[in-house]
Amino acid sequence: MKLDGIQNTQSVNPYRNQQMKVNQAKQTNEIKTDKLEISSEAKKLSAASPIETARQQRVQELKSQVQSGDYQVDANKLASSMLSYFNKL
C-alpha cells in the first residue's frame, strides 16, 4: 500500500482543531467589548434639582403628619382652590 502526501493535516489531529477553535473564540471575545459613556449634560440632568429635593422633603413631612394623625384639611381652602381650578377650564 502506497500513501501519497496527506491532503488535510488538520483532520488528523482533532485536539489541535479544538484548541484552534478555543483560541479563535478568545480572540473574538477580546475584540468585542461594550462601553457606556455618559455625557456631562446627561450627568447634569440626572442630578437632583433644588425644586425636586424641596418637593421630596414636603412629601415626607406630609406623610409623617398623615401617619401620626396630625394632618388636617382646611375644607374652605380646598373648596375655593377647586372652584378656581374648574372655572379656568
Side-chain angles (χ1 to χ4, degrees):
M1 181 163 115
K2 181 177 179 184
L3 293 174
D4 291 327
I6 299 174
Q7 297 293 328
N8 190 356
T9 58
Q10 291 180 351
S11 64
V12 173
N13 191 349
Y15 298 108
R16 182 174 174 199
N17 289 341
Q18 183 65 25
Q19 187 60 37
M20 288 176 60
K21 288 179 185 178
V22 169
N23 290 341
Q24 288 175 349
K26 284 182 183 177
Q27 289 175 353
T28 305
N29 289 341
E30 290 174 0
I31 294 171
K32 294 181 183 178
T33 57
D34 293 333
K35 287 186 178 182
L36 174 66
E37 295 181 15
I38 300 174
S39 67
S40 59
E41 191 67 28
K43 289 178 184 177
K44 288 179 187 175
L45 291 173
S46 68
S49 68
I51 296 170
E52 187 176 325
T53 55
R55 182 179 296 149
Q56 288 176 353
Q57 185 179 13
R58 178 69 177 142
V59 167
Q60 289 300 323
E61 288 173 7
L62 290 173
K63 279 184 181 181
S64 65
Q65 288 177 359
V66 168
Q67 289 175 351
S68 67
D70 296 334
Y71 184 71
Q72 299 294 323
V73 177
D74 183 11
N76 291 329
K77 186 176 177 182
L78 176 64
S80 66
S81 295
M82 289 175 66
L83 281 174
S84 65
Y85 174 77
F86 286 112
N87 286 334
K88 290 179 184 178
L89 295 177

